[in-house]
Amino acid sequence: MTTAALLVFPDVRALDVTGPLDVFTEANRFLHPRQHYRLEIVSTEGGRVRCSNGLAIYPHKPFFESSGQFDLLLVAGGPSVARASFDESLYRWLRVAAEQCACIGSICNGALLLAWAGLLDGRRVATHWSFAEALAHACPTARICINDAYVDEGKLVTSAGVAASIDMSLHLLARQHGAALALDVAKQLLPSNDPTRERLAFQCALTPQAASSAIVEIQQYVLANLPADLSIPVLASIANMSVRHFTRIFSRETRLSPSEFVEQARLDAARTLLESTLRPVKTIAYECGFGNAPRMRAVFQRHFGMSPQLYRTHSSSEAAADR
DNA sequence: TCCGATTCCCGCCATC
DNA sequence: ACGATGGCGGGAATCG
């Protein structure tokens, strides 16, 4: 049993609460009852809490009646957090909770509460860009990453905008129970072309659960020979199987079709090279097996909604913001 | 931009 | 009877 709590307050953003709740609740459907997440909503004050969109939620208890002992504690955000003032006793409770919880985190500008409680000093922190300044003011030593969906510092996890809370929750799920479970949940909650879902699928494919050594060998061959011809007949012959049998086994064991796996592997390599080197896009396209720049561009458009060049600009500005 | 060729996926069925 | 394997062919996506 994992206990996960969400800290809410008046005018909290409903999605910050329901997003993670839905992820962990959905996960329970795939988990053995002994591994279930027990979810608890803790509020800054007693009674019903009205969300910024008018939705009413009924927290299990106010913080001052809660031990603050959870496996995971997430602080939600809301449009008026920056202007709000909370009692010093809440910050004390958060500091104690940070000691007791295996993992503590925030969603969007929920990070402000952690900052005010003095829990973000010198840490890398994600938040929504529009609150970056307020956060920098609340905690000048925090390193604010406005372009990351979420930042995992082990015991501290923080996420950017509302939708990123789902990404972060899926990440936490993968961290604890493996990418396969997170992928199962993502399939329930996210559209099929969602980048997070695709990332999980690739992560999952690289760690096949009941994989035959033959499939693992093929995966290693693909990763080591990205520029080579990795068409299905070629891979099938290396695996010593018919094309039909090979595709069937590969999909069954990795949850990705062979061509999807190859494309993800190439995309992943290209992404890394774009981020970490200054090599021309054309060279990277060739090195990663896309053959030519337009083809790589098309794949980037499909997966990331931007060209490789733009992706590089984006990631370098992210790195700059990181520093 | 269009269009035929190619590639891939997958259901179905036969064989071992 | 059942699982593993392989071939065929249609539909969709992609390529040149």
Side-chain angles (χ1 to χ4, degrees), chain A residues 22-24 26-27 29-30 166-167 169-171 173-174 178-201 204 255:
Chain A
D22 277 343
V23 168
F24 293 118
E26 198 63 34
R29 297 205 303 127
F30 299 97
I166 293 179
D167 286 5
S169 303
L170 287 167
H171 168 74
L173 212 52
L181 175 73
L183 179 62
D184 283 336
V185 172
K187 280 181 178 172
Q188 302 295 321
L189 301 178
L190 300 173
S192 61
N193 62 347
D194 185 276
T196 297
R197 193 171 145 173
E198 288 184 350
R199 243 194 333 274
L200 282 169
C204 192
R255 300 178 178 214

Side-chain angles (χ1 to χ4, degrees), chain A residues 124 142-145 315-323:
Chain A
R124 289 178 66 240
R143 295 164 57 204
I144 301 166
C145 316
S315 64
S316 62
S317 68
E318 198 165 309
D322 239 30
R323 286 192 293 271

Side-chain angles (χ1 to χ4, degrees), chain A residues 208 210-216 218-219 239-258:
Chain A
S212 64
S213 57
I215 297 302
V216 173
I218 294 299
Q219 289 179 315
N240 239 326
M241 294 178 197
S242 71
V243 167
R244 182 71 193 91
H245 191 54
F246 171 70
T247 54
R248 185 162 38 208
I249 299 287
F250 193 97
S251 305
R252 192 182 68 204
E253 294 193 5
T254 67
R255 300 178 178 214
L256 286 182
S257 70

Side-chain angles (χ1 to χ4, degrees), chain A residues 18 20 102 110 117-119 128 145 151 157-158 162 169 181 184 189 195 204 239 241 249 257 262 283 296 301 323:
Chain A
T18 56
L119 295 169
H128 191 264
C145 316
V151 169
V157 288
T158 47
V162 186
S169 303
L181 175 73
D184 283 336
L189 301 178
C204 192
M241 294 178 197
I249 299 287
S257 70
V262 169
T283 309
M296 181 162 101
Q301 280 293 350
R323 286 192 293 271

Side-chain angles (χ1 to χ4, degrees), chain A residues 6-306:
Chain A
L6 272 143
L7 180 68
V8 303
F9 42 82
D11 210 35
V12 66
R13 192 180 281 105
L15 257 176
D16 285 13
V17 184
T18 56
L21 282 182
D22 277 343
V23 168
F24 293 118
T25 303
E26 198 63 34
N28 282 347
R29 297 205 303 127
F30 299 97
L31 287 167
H32 186 277
R34 274 203 301 272
Q35 297 182 306
H36 273 188
Y37 285 89
R38 195 168 60 76
L39 299 160
E40 191 164 315
I41 300 182
V42 179
S43 66
T44 54
E45 43 201 86
R48 190 183 68 167
V49 167
R50 190 175 187 279
C51 301
S52 60
N53 64 359
L55 187 77
I57 52 180
Y58 294 83
H60 295 92
K61 54 177 70 163
F63 77 91
F64 45 80
E65 288 175 18
S66 164
S67 66
Q69 266 187 318
F70 309 104
D71 294 300
L72 172 67
L73 171 63
L74 296 176
V75 180
S80 56
V81 168
R83 299 187 302 275
S85 64
F86 297 97
D87 201 90
E88 176 57 33
S89 61
L90 175 69
Y91 302 136
R92 270 201 304 276
W93 181 82
L94 277 172
R95 282 191 290 273
V96 172
E99 289 291 316
Q100 295 177 335
C101 296
C103 185
I104 186 167
S106 63
I107 295 148
C108 193
N109 59 3
L112 282 171
L113 274 83
L114 297 183
W116 290 327
L119 295 169
L120 300 183
D121 291 329
R123 313 297 295 272
R124 289 178 66 240
V125 181
T127 192
H128 191 264
W129 60 270
S130 61
F131 295 102
E133 208 179 317
L135 186 60
H137 188 255
C139 180
T141 60
R143 295 164 57 204
I144 301 166
C145 316
I146 50 170
N147 287 307
D148 288 314
Y150 57 83
V151 169
D152 181 350
E153 287 238 295
K155 215 185 152 171
L156 175 73
V157 288
T158 47
S159 78
V162 186
S165 71
I166 293 179
D167 286 5
M168 182 177 78
S169 303
L170 287 167
H171 168 74
L172 290 170
L173 212 52
R175 206 171 83 170
Q176 187 173 3
H177 295 288
L181 175 73
L183 179 62
D184 283 336
V185 172
K187 280 181 178 172
Q188 302 295 321
L189 301 178
L190 300 173
S192 61
N193 62 347
D194 185 276
T196 297
R197 193 171 145 173
E198 288 184 350
R199 243 194 333 274
L200 282 169
F202 183 55
Q203 199 183 332
C204 192
L206 280 171
T207 50
Q209 292 179 321
S212 64
S213 57
I215 297 302
V216 173
E217 273 173 33
I218 294 299
Q219 289 179 315
Q220 287 167 347
Y221 178 83
V222 166
L223 293 170
N225 296 277
L226 291 177
D229 177 3
L230 300 175
S231 64
I232 292 185
V234 168
L235 297 180
S237 79
I238 293 172
N240 239 326
M241 294 178 197
S242 71
V243 167
R244 182 71 193 91
H245 191 54
F246 171 70
T247 54
R248 185 162 38 208
I249 299 287
F250 193 97
S251 305
R252 192 182 68 204
E253 294 193 5
T254 67
R255 300 178 178 214
L256 286 182
S257 70
S259 67
E260 281 171 336
F261 180 82
V262 169
E263 189 170 284
Q264 284 288 340
R266 286 176 167 154
L267 200 60
D268 218 50
R271 212 177 53 179
T272 307
L273 288 176
L274 283 168
E275 286 169 358
S276 60
T277 73
L278 293 172
R279 266 175 259 182
V281 171
K282 200 172 163 183
T283 309
I284 293 176
Y286 177 76
E287 286 174 343
C288 296
F290 289 102
N292 54 56
R295 162 109 181 87
M296 181 162 101
R297 185 189 162 84
V299 176
F300 263 70
Q301 280 293 350
R302 182 149 38 84
H303 286 264
F304 302 125
M306 64 179 86

